[in-house]
Amino acid sequence: MARGELSRSLRQALEALRSFSRPQCHRIARYPPRSFRSSTTRCMSTSVPRRAELVDETPEKFAAAPPIDFAQEDGKGSGNGAGAGKPVGKKTLRTLRVVPASPSYFSAKPTFTDDFINLCALLRKVATLPTVPPSEAPKVAWKTVDQYRIMTNEPVKTQRFHKMIHILRRLNCIHPSLIPDEVVQAMQRYKKPNQPGDIKPNPGVIDELGRAKGVGQRKTSSAVAWVVEGEGEVLVNGKSLAQFFGRLHDRESAVWALKATQRLDKYNVWALTTGGGVTGQAEALTLAVAKALLVHEPALKPALRRAGCITRDPRKVERKKPGHVKARKMPTWVKR
Amino acid sequence: MSSSQCLRSFFQLSLDRAAHQSIASRSLLTTPQTACFSISASRCGPPPRKGMIAPPKRGERTLNVKKGKGARAQDTSKRPAPGERKAQRKRIVLSNNNALEVPTLQDLSKETVLKQENEGQVKGLPEAVVDALRAVEAFKPTQGWRLFRRPAILMRRQTMQLVELVKQVEDAGKGAAKQTLRRVLVGERLCGKSTLLLQALTVGFLRDWVVINLPDAQDITNAHTEYAPLPGSQPTMYTQDTYTANLLSQIATANGPVLEKFQVTTKPSLPVPIPSKCNLKQLAELAIANPEASWPIFVALWNELSQPGRPPIMLGVDNVAHMMKDSDYLSADIKPIHSHDLAIVRHFVDHLSGKTALRNGGIVLAATSGSNSPTIPGLDHSIQVAEARKLDPENVPQWNPYKKVDQRVVDCLKDIEVVRITGLSKEEARTVIEYYAASGMLRAQVTDPFVTEKWSLAGMGNIGYLERAAVRERI
């Protein structure tokens, strides 16, 4: 090879490099317009997808780079003597450098970083929209950090995730009537599949005889109560309140929903109760009567909640374990 | 094993091993005999020194003379005298000095007691009637008399029913045909059955009837008093002398003013001499001195009261279920005696069943009890039948023929009538709660919601629970 030839070919190569700064594909294809749905941001992942991810989440869309047309690349340089006689595309292949779609590809947590940056950008964009106080914002169940880790397959730190959740909560506080569609779309990614308030119980009905039914449970007892308008008569399992409950405290518990709201002289109760003991049955009746009363007067719900007639007490007897005397009690320690 | 012997055996072992290697594994001596080398002498040690005695065995009693916390507290309090606890349990307190006098409370009297206007009002009991009721043991320790200044009763709907009966008997008494009315008082627990009986007795005392009350049938049948077969009775009846004597003294004390008016007209043949010009009270009091003659005296008194021109009789018994079963007494051949074979019970049951009528008219009342009463299927069935008959005479429940029933019980309650005691109405509840408030035992404003709340919590106006909720168990 003559001396002049070498210098010429070097010059050509430099030229070629200058003309294809990203030689493997077109620029447009390499950098697709960023949308705030960051589903297209992840082009390549070198890690093996986990099973849990495949089961739980739909994997994000993988956008492959467009194919490189080697013939076209080489045709440009066919006039040169340097490329003649060599296998096609070798030169281009040599000059090829794969650049990932996301600039944070080489960071430890590219997806999370992208998500975070996107949300920050979105918040900057909508920061001026009017907001409602957090207590009035719609209730949203965000994904937990574990769920997010499984979705992204990245070891996201809890603290950083919480920073992201803060941004999401701020976005959620935008006034519901003015919230842009893209914010709604962006928040969708971070919500749990089931939101609170998704399942709504059927509203209670007062039947043609004026009865409203309520069901309550406590410990191992359960109770059904039918409440009608009346003068304060109570029958439990066909017996009067005094006959059925020996203790005054239990009698008061059974009709506490009516007593706490000063409705004892306005309704009659007919109830059935089974299972458990006396106190459990009385307190199951509390809930049952309260639920039936709510059908008649739904506005009483806050008052009944304050009286403690709405919340089901979930405690039950703890099971006995082997090696223990009771649920937790251990046998007495003996030296020998 | 001494130490020299040990050493020898050890040597023997090592020699044997060297000699017979093949049988070494089977030789008994291969078992290590390390115990031989123990030179500890636990058994040969000196006896324990004084002051180092082992702690007492578990469960052994030791003398504890320590002072302070470790010492067992000695109970030095005085034990109650025999019978003192029972007396306290049975004591009847009829007044409470801390309760306020209710200014609007009016006493019942002979004239006003039969008036219809009393319905739904709280009325006081006159002193004489209180003494008489106390004498016949109509007040019960479980009732709330001790909470108020003096005894008062609520004239409820069922009371007026009984007052109507009294009126009926008195009206019939003016004509020739005397009337005997028989009723069983039933109702749920604490609904005021014994109190209603007391109210009936009150009316009897006020109207100058002769009132005979058996305070608790259990006392007759639980074999706590002596008994003896009645000579010449067929089938054998049994008399209870002490109980009868006590009953006669109660009758004499409670009905003294009425009995004093009448002289003995028949010539009873009694084992004790009768004073001449003897009135009925003196006749009854004879039994106090001569309990062994108490049953003939009771019969004589009853004959006297059955003579024409004598006042009507009110017979009452509480806890009647106890006299509807076998008593705890045993006959001579070690068989349980049926309660109806006891003379007093037989006397009462004959009148309750209508077998014997009261010659001068009267009322026989039997109250059941919600607590401390045995289950008598025949009694329960008879009450059901009586209630069903009142509603619809055609359609009465039949006894299951495959089940055993005490036929004597069913027969004696065959055509009885029942007074069912229900809860108070709201107006009655309001009256009685106002009385509690006026007595100062209830410190609350008596408003309609308050009354309804207590009424509901008391199981729709059960007066016992109403009193408990309003007065006894107040916070």
Side-chain angles (χ1 to χ4, degrees), chain B residues 242-313:
Chain B
T242 320
Y243 189 89
T244 315
N246 184 32
L247 179 68
L248 280 168
S249 82
Q250 282 182 8
I251 293 170
T253 321
N255 302 293
V258 181
L259 295 181
E260 272 169 356
K261 289 184 211 160
F262 300 103
Q263 297 293 322
V264 176
T265 53
T266 55
K267 296 273 181 289
S269 59
L270 294 178
V272 286
I274 311 172
S276 58
K277 294 232 171 178
C278 171
N279 62 30
L280 294 188
K281 189 185 179 192
Q282 286 164 336
L283 177 66
E285 278 168 350
L286 275 180
I288 300 171
N290 312 291
E292 68 281 356
S294 57
W295 180 249
I297 293 173
F298 182 81
V299 173
L301 180 68
W302 194 261
N303 282 335
E304 285 294 327
L305 290 173
S306 304
Q307 297 299 313
R310 301 283 156 86
I313 294 176

Side-chain angles (χ1 to χ4, degrees), chain A residues 87-253:
Chain A
V88 179
K90 262 283 168 70
K91 185 199 72 184
T92 320
L93 211 56
R94 210 185 305 124
T95 58
L96 194 77
R97 189 166 73 88
V98 178
V99 178
S102 164
S104 55
Y105 177 75
F106 291 105
S107 67
K109 301 155 191 106
T111 317
F112 172 72
T113 314
D114 281 347
D115 284 346
F116 193 78
I117 290 168
N118 290 342
L119 285 175
C120 286
L122 183 60
L123 181 60
R124 228 175 291 128
K125 196 171 158 189
V126 299
T128 53
L129 289 176
T131 57
V132 291
S135 58
E136 290 171 26
K139 298 276 178 291
V140 174
W142 302 110
K143 273 180 182 158
T144 62
V145 64
D146 287 326
Q147 285 171 322
Y148 185 77
R149 278 176 193 150
I150 290 172
M151 184 181 82
T152 57
N153 199 10
E154 286 173 4
V156 182
K157 284 192 173 171
T158 313
Q159 193 193 13
R160 302 227 173 123
F161 178 76
H162 278 295
K163 280 183 181 165
M164 195 168 77
I165 291 290
H166 275 300
I167 298 173
L168 284 166
R169 285 198 189 127
R170 171 65 184 75
L171 288 173
N172 191 38
C173 283
I174 298 171
H175 199 286
S177 62
L178 299 170
I179 191 161
D181 196 37
E182 61 176 341
V183 176
V184 176
Q185 296 294 327
M187 286 197 303
Q188 202 59 44
R189 177 175 156 81
Y190 306 98
K191 287 181 180 175
K192 279 186 183 172
N194 298 321
Q195 291 297 311
D198 276 359
I199 303 165
K200 280 183 184 156
N202 293 332
V205 287
I206 303 176
D207 66 7
E208 67 276 7
L209 299 173
R211 300 173 298 192
K213 184 187 170 192
V215 181
Q217 287 171 335
R218 168 89 172 93
K219 290 185 178 177
T220 49
S221 312
S222 63
V224 192
W226 282 268
V227 172
V228 290
E229 292 186 12
E231 292 92 44
E233 294 172 12
V234 184
L235 279 182
V236 183
N237 284 4
K239 291 181 180 178
S240 74
L241 204 54
Q243 267 183 310
F244 196 78
F245 293 117
R247 287 175 71 210
L248 181 62
H249 186 270
D250 288 338
R251 270 178 260 154
E252 285 193 348
S253 294

Side-chain angles (χ1 to χ4, degrees), chain B residues 334-351:
Chain B
I334 327 287
K335 295 268 170 56
I337 299 171
H338 195 279
S339 296
H340 290 193
D341 286 336
L342 300 173
I344 300 175
V345 175
R346 166 71 68 84
H347 181 81
F348 180 84
V349 161
D350 282 351
H351 288 95

Side-chain angles (χ1 to χ4, degrees), chain B residues 70-93:
Chain B
R72 200 182 305 149
Q74 289 291 320
D75 190 3
T76 53
S77 59
K78 204 179 129 205
R79 292 271 174 274
E84 194 178 318
R85 280 188 179 143
K86 184 174 182 184
Q88 197 165 22
R89 201 170 66 234
K90 301 279 179 191
R91 192 174 56 201
I92 288 167
V93 182

Side-chain angles (χ1 to χ4, degrees), chain B residues 5-21 23-25 27-34 36-37:
Chain B
Q5 205 179 351
C6 271
L7 276 173
R8 208 176 305 129
S9 75
F10 185 71
F11 281 124
Q12 187 72 38
L13 167 68
S14 54
L15 283 175
D16 277 2
R17 270 203 177 150
H20 321 281
Q21 279 195 344
I23 61 158
S25 63
S27 166
L28 286 174
L29 286 169
T30 51
T31 50
Q33 293 191 344
T34 48
C36 299
F37 293 99

